[in-house]
Amino acid sequence: MKIALDAMGGDFAPQAAVDGAVLAAQKLAGAAQIVLIGQEDAVRPLLQQHGAAADGLILQPASQIIEMGEHPAKAYQQKQDSSIAVGYRMLHNGEVEAFCSAGNTGAMLVGAMFSVKPVSGVMRPAIANFVPKLAGGFGILLDVGANAECKPEMLEQFGELGSLYAQYVLGIDKPKVGLMNLGEEEGKGTVVTQAAHQLLKVNPHIHFIGNIEGRDLFNDKADVIVCDGYTGNVVLKMAESVYDVLAEKQMHDPFFDKFNYEAIGGSPILGINDNAIIGHGVSTPEAICNMLLQGYQMAKSGIADQIKDTFKS
Amino acid sequence: MKIALDAMGGDFAPQAAVDGAVLAAQKLAGAAQIVLIGQEDAVRPLLQQHGAAADGLILQPASQIIEMGEHPAKAYQQKQDSSIAVGYRMLHNGEVEAFCSAGNTGAMLVGAMFSVKPVSGVMRPAIANFVPKLAGGFGILLDVGANAECKPEMLEQFGELGSLYAQYVLGIDKPKVGLMNLGEEEGKGTVVTQAAHQLLKVNPHIHFIGNIEGRDLFNDKADVIVCDGYTGNVVLKMAESVYDVLAEKQMHDPFFDKFNYEAIGGSPILGINDNAIIGHGVSTPEAICNMLLQGYQMAKSGIADQIKDTFKS
């Protein structure tokens, strides 16, 4: 199995990318090979610095870089030899089984939509992220930014996508799906959440437990938390800021330390035909390493096929 | 000046209400009188337990109680001698200058809308809450639940209402108004936030600093954070849960301790003709006391008149 990494993506690339890939290769211990995609001149010397530890890593040349500030769709189209475009091409061609990048988030989404494409039957793919649970492990939160605005049917599908991920990748049996809302009662919320509640309630593929509230993010009410991308993004960034403040105050705790994005890896794009993960722009080697291990887990679990099966009817 | 308190409102009423009122009376030291509204048989003995400390408190009888689970509009209409209905009547008649209750939130909103009524020109009043700032003090967040769904013009008005509160009650000079969004760039977000951004940008009454993100809640980018009631409610309850987890883990810190709703008091309803504050259902005496002191500050500041002046054109 091969997992690809955008060696040029992220604020500290290519150094952090190469260091993270070497770390991941050690942990994978041959279970999967890592393909580093990027400018040969920049990446090769960094690999050499690692000596024998980098022996198993494959370098796939890509001459261009999509910068963080570039217009995603335009850059993706114009830079066909960029590390992101090459990564998606390899993914689409089956040369690698997952593609990870801490680069331009918009370009990663563009590639997901236009290269590997949404699974037939999925209205709009979602970006998922993870919230630590007080009882241990993580829950999955989606969407966190791909779709600021959602139709009720999209939220219903996010419930299904998240439930499949929780089941097949996180290993949660019969995951509990909750709809983020401003009250527990069925009739609460916006027109969209009210309608989504009715759809989720009768969906036979999931175990819907009803509305949850902002205070339920960390408890064990729901393993899968469904919301629109606007809300998910606010929640995610707020959780990150809580971690940052605690870290700055040197208030450490095993639970709150799991808020650290580095421990989580990246955000999978769910509902597309292959496995793609978006990393944090400020990804450190540890974060890159965890994103690659997550890509390996996704590929091994066959989550993309599970999603295709569920939605093919 | 007289500040009224619903003595029957909240999970620990009337005990917590009476104890909180006595505490507040001590702190106010005669600057304002507190009127306790509730069932005489229940409240009088509790006042007597406080002896001389309760001497200045006024008891206003109200024979009925709107329970937490009751349908707000129906209960408000049917129980005209409830503590909430009597409180709003006194407020509307000018017998008291602020009314505070930790009781049924929905009934408090109904009373605000139908008894003291929205300020002419205000489309929909908002419930505000407060977020501690790392640099000290508090910012104001609105709406946190009165309006799950918002039009762009409502968000614009929330910016004005919050700005006036920040200026006149919190004493912040030229408060910075930020629009909660999923990215800093002007074009980000939902159709509603995009349109609201354009309205806020040209509003002459406020100092709009643009979009802010979930990570900016606690920093000093914005003093006033504008969002729809659905989002604000999720954010507020999530912040409360962070405090609860920290408290349970006995992780104390002056900044995070300010997340405690008890220190904040209550949530003012902004955009109505008088001063009304909704307290947390689980309000302790300390929370009740702080809600009353906040009511006093609001009344003293003349915030309701400032709002009327701004919107009268």
Side-chain angles (χ1 to χ4, degrees):
Chain A
M1 182 190 298
K2 284 180 186 153
I3 310 295
L5 174 69
D6 172 6
M8 315 312 284
D11 297 348
F12 309 123
Q15 181 79 57
V18 172
D19 294 352
V22 171
L23 269 175
Q26 285 165 350
K27 298 209 176 182
L28 286 166
Q33 272 194 298
I34 291 166
V35 180
L36 279 158
I37 305 169
Q39 293 174 332
E40 203 164 354
D41 292 355
V43 178
R44 180 82 65 199
L46 297 173
L47 281 173
Q48 281 164 350
Q49 284 173 13
H50 283 283
D55 274 356
L57 281 80
I58 301 161
L59 174 52
Q60 173 68 44
S63 65
Q64 294 171 304
I65 300 172
I66 297 178
E67 304 289 349
M68 291 308 232
E70 282 192 88
H71 185 279
K74 213 181 285 177
Y76 191 86
Q77 209 174 8
Q78 288 170 353
K79 295 185 170 175
Q80 278 299 305
D81 200 40
S82 62
S83 49
I84 290 181
V86 170
Y88 271 118
R89 209 148 54 226
M90 294 181 80
L91 188 62
H92 181 61
N93 294 340
E95 296 166 54
V96 296
E97 275 158 88
F99 175 47
C100 306
S101 172
N104 187 310
T105 299
M108 280 297 287
L109 267 178
V110 169
M113 298 299 283
F114 296 101
S115 178
V116 302
K117 295 196 172 71
V119 164
S120 169
V122 170
M123 296 173 72
R124 292 292 299 272
I127 302 178
N129 213 299
F130 304 94
V131 286
K133 290 291 185 179
L134 282 161
F138 285 90
I140 180 167
L141 171 75
L142 74 170
D143 180 28
V144 299
N147 314 279
E149 221 120 15
C150 289
K151 294 189 174 126
E153 293 78 9
M154 288 164 63
L155 294 178
E156 181 193 10
Q157 291 195 339
F158 296 169
E160 294 187 76
L161 293 170
S163 189
L164 289 167
Y165 192 99
Q167 206 175 330
Y168 289 99
V169 188
L170 302 182
I172 299 171
D173 188 42
K174 211 184 171 196
K176 291 170 285 184
V177 178
L179 176 66
M180 184 57 85
N181 214 328
L182 49 60
E184 288 180 350
E185 302 85 349
E186 199 169 313
K188 290 268 182 175
T190 63
V191 171
V192 170
T193 58
Q194 284 171 22
H197 186 108
Q198 296 307 319
L199 295 172
L200 286 159
K201 206 168 72 168
V202 295
N203 187 304
H205 300 126
I206 58 167
H207 176 43
F208 182 56
I209 54 98
N211 293 338
I212 62 162
E213 300 175 272
R215 67 166 66 95
D216 299 317
L217 216 57
F218 311 121
N219 66 27
D220 60 0
K221 273 198 185 165
D223 305 300
V224 179
I225 298 164
V226 173
C227 60
D228 62 80
Y230 170 90
T231 307
N233 192 275
V234 169
V235 163
L236 175 67
K237 287 179 179 162
M238 184 175 158
E240 282 180 5
S241 79
V242 167
Y243 172 79
D244 289 344
V245 174
L246 285 166
E248 200 166 308
K249 290 176 175 289
Q250 306 203 297
M251 292 169 73
H252 286 289
D253 171 85
F255 170 70
F256 284 105
D257 285 349
K258 292 201 294 179
F259 278 50
N260 183 0
Y261 80 93
E262 289 182 310
I264 292 169
S267 302
I269 306 174
L270 296 184
I272 56 173
N273 285 301
D274 291 289
N275 303 308
I277 305 180
I278 304 172
H280 209 297
V282 295
S283 283
T284 58
E286 188 191 342
I288 296 282
C289 168
N290 284 322
M291 175 161 62
L292 287 164
L293 298 179
Q294 187 188 354
Y296 167 70
Q297 289 300 336
M298 282 179 73
K300 205 177 83 168
S301 73
I303 175 71
D305 287 333
Q306 295 294 347
I307 291 173
K308 278 177 237 175
D309 277 357
T310 302
F311 283 90
K312 78 177 166 200
S313 62
Chain B
M1 181 189 301
K2 285 181 185 149
I3 311 294
L5 174 69
D6 172 6
M8 314 312 284
D11 296 347
F12 309 123
Q15 181 80 57
V18 172
D19 292 352
V22 171
L23 268 175
Q26 285 164 352
K27 296 209 176 181
L28 286 166
Q33 270 192 300
I34 292 167
V35 180
L36 278 158
I37 305 170
Q39 293 175 330
E40 202 163 356
D41 292 353
V43 178
R44 179 82 64 201
L46 296 172
L47 281 172
Q48 281 163 351
Q49 283 171 15
H50 283 283
D55 275 356
L57 281 80
I58 301 161
L59 174 52
Q60 172 69 43
S63 65
Q64 294 171 303
I65 299 171
I66 297 179
E67 304 290 348
M68 290 309 231
E70 283 193 87
H71 185 281
K74 212 180 286 177
Y76 191 87
Q77 209 173 7
Q78 288 170 351
K79 295 185 169 176
Q80 279 298 304
D81 199 40
S82 64
S83 49
I84 291 181
V86 170
Y88 271 118
R89 208 150 53 228
M90 294 181 80
L91 188 62
H92 181 60
N93 294 341
E95 295 166 54
V96 295
E97 274 157 274
F99 175 48
C100 306
S101 172
N104 188 309
T105 299
M108 280 298 287
L109 268 178
V110 169
M113 298 299 284
F114 295 101
S115 177
V116 302
K117 295 197 174 68
V119 164
S120 170
V122 170
M123 296 173 71
R124 292 291 300 269
I127 302 178
N129 212 300
F130 303 94
V131 285
K133 290 291 186 179
L134 283 161
F138 286 89
I140 179 167
L141 171 74
L142 74 169
D143 179 29
V144 298
N147 314 279
E149 220 120 15
C150 289
K151 295 192 174 125
E153 293 78 9
M154 287 163 64
L155 294 178
E156 181 194 10
Q157 291 195 340
F158 295 170
E160 294 186 76
L161 292 170
S163 189
L164 289 167
Y165 192 98
Q167 206 175 329
Y168 290 98
V169 187
L170 303 181
I172 299 171
D173 189 40
K174 212 183 169 197
K176 291 170 284 184
V177 177
L179 176 65
M180 184 55 85
N181 215 328
L182 49 61
E184 288 180 348
E185 303 84 350
E186 197 169 314
K188 290 268 182 176
T190 63
V191 171
V192 169
T193 59
Q194 285 172 23
H197 186 109
Q198 296 307 319
L199 294 173
L200 286 159
K201 206 168 74 168
V202 296
N203 186 304
H205 299 126
I206 58 166
H207 175 43
F208 182 56
I209 54 97
N211 293 338
I212 62 162
E213 300 175 273
R215 68 166 66 96
D216 300 316
L217 216 57
F218 311 121
N219 66 27
D220 61 0
K221 272 198 186 165
D223 305 300
V224 179
I225 299 164
V226 173
C227 61
D228 61 80
Y230 170 91
T231 307
N233 193 274
V234 171
V235 163
L236 175 66
K237 287 179 179 161
M238 183 174 159
E240 282 179 5
S241 78
V242 167
Y243 172 79
D244 288 344
V245 174
L246 285 166
E248 200 165 309
K249 289 175 176 290
Q250 306 203 299
M251 292 170 72
H252 286 289
D253 171 85
F255 170 70
F256 284 105
D257 286 349
K258 291 201 295 180
F259 278 51
N260 183 359
Y261 80 93
E262 290 182 308
I264 291 169
S267 302
I269 306 173
L270 297 184
I272 56 173
N273 284 303
D274 290 289
N275 304 307
I277 305 180
I278 303 172
H280 210 297
V282 296
S283 284
T284 57
E286 188 190 342
I288 296 283
C289 168
N290 284 322
M291 175 161 63
L292 287 165
L293 297 179
Q294 187 188 353
Y296 168 70
Q297 289 299 335
M298 282 180 73
K300 204 177 84 167
S301 74
I303 176 70
D305 287 334
Q306 295 294 345
I307 291 173
K308 280 177 234 174
D309 277 356
T310 302
F311 284 90
K312 78 177 167 199
S313 61

